[in-house]
Amino acid sequence: MQLHDIWFAVIAVLWTGYFFLEGFDFGVGVLTRVLARGRSERRVLINTIGPVWDGNEVWLITAAGATFAAFPDWYATLFSGFYLPLLLVLVCLIVRGVAFEYRAKRSETSWQDRWELALFVTSLLPAFLWGVIFANIVRGVPIDKDKNYAGDLADLFGPHALLGGLVTLTLFTFHGAVFTALKTTGDIRPRARRLATALGLASAALAVPFLAWTTLDGGGAWSAGAA
């Protein structure tokens, strides 16, 4: 095993850790408008991730830094080719952090409602956009001889990429529902369990055709067997 193989394994662990931990984080944010009934339940959901949401994002910073350090050409092509979706993710993460900190700064209902809505939107969009980015990476995108992205916006948001976005959105929301069922009590807990079951089935129903499409489009015998 050479050094670049070790770095690739480390980066894979870092990105996996980020999606695993930030996944339920995003999912709980989405559930503030899907599962919660009223402001009191939204506050309960937000409080479940309040102590951990900022720590989860450290995985993203470390993963991006490791990618830049070990594979600068890969990093440059990735972050320039996917500039728009990555910029949207970055803006969402900034606004999301502000929403966590500012929603309780004032007691007015309208103030808190606006920040809670911002928290929902900035949880839903990254959960979808990370799937779009991941789908493009595993399927492949056009790159010219200078290692620059040679496609357009339509290539980034094609049917395969949109399906990948739906997969991660439902999967992260499922993860958030499981986390909610573990961390809450009272009436919200059984509802979170029922929703987790439904979301788990929906995630599988979307993931199976996505994996099949990906394998048939660019996979081989090994990837078909793994799928």
Side-chain angles (χ1 to χ4, degrees):
M1 179 178 290
Q2 299 182 5
L3 182 59
H4 62 264
D5 297 318
I6 298 174
W7 268 111
F8 190 88
V10 170
I11 290 170
V13 170
L14 290 172
W15 281 107
T16 301
Y18 170 70
F19 287 125
F20 185 81
L21 295 173
E22 191 82 318
F24 76 78
D25 201 330
F26 289 140
V28 172
V30 173
L31 292 177
T32 57
R33 295 285 169 169
V34 176
L35 177 65
R37 296 175 180 173
R39 294 184 63 247
S40 61
E41 289 193 353
R42 286 201 295 272
R43 186 165 59 250
V44 168
L45 290 175
I46 292 171
N47 288 342
T48 62
I49 57 175
V52 298
W53 69 269
D54 49 352
N56 293 341
E57 293 184 358
V58 174
W59 287 81
L60 173 62
I61 298 171
T62 308
T67 304
F68 172 75
F71 304 104
D73 289 340
W74 179 22
Y75 178 93
T77 303
L78 174 67
F79 280 76
S80 61
F82 299 153
Y83 181 82
L84 178 60
L86 286 171
L87 177 63
L88 290 174
V89 168
L90 179 60
V91 171
C92 285
L93 293 180
I94 293 172
V95 175
R96 191 167 182 266
V98 173
F100 273 112
E101 299 297 335
Y102 272 62
R103 58 172 291 276
K105 294 295 184 182
R106 291 168 58 177
S107 59
E108 292 91 336
T109 300
S110 59
W111 170 272
Q112 295 188 4
D113 285 344
R114 283 196 293 269
W115 285 116
E116 288 170 0
L117 178 60
L119 180 62
F120 165 74
V121 173
T122 55
S123 297
L124 186 147
L125 280 178
F128 176 77
L129 289 172
W130 278 124
V132 170
I133 295 169
F134 175 75
N136 277 292
I137 291 174
V138 297
R139 191 183 189 199
V141 294
I143 299 174
D144 63 21
K145 62 180 181 178
D146 296 319
K147 301 179 182 178
N148 295 318
Y149 176 66
D152 54 24
L153 194 61
D155 294 321
L156 289 180
F157 290 92
H160 180 265
L162 296 178
L163 179 58
L166 292 176
V167 170
T168 55
L169 176 59
T170 54
L171 186 60
F172 289 174
T173 311
F174 160 70
H175 196 178
V178 173
F179 182 80
T180 300
L182 292 172
K183 291 293 185 177
T184 58
T185 59
D187 179 60
I188 196 172
R189 189 172 196 175
R191 286 192 282 116
R193 286 177 174 173
R194 291 193 294 270
L195 184 59
T197 301
L199 287 169
L201 294 174
S203 299
L206 291 168
V208 169
F210 174 74
L211 292 173
W213 189 349
T214 304
T215 301
L216 292 174
D217 186 64
W222 185 90
S223 58

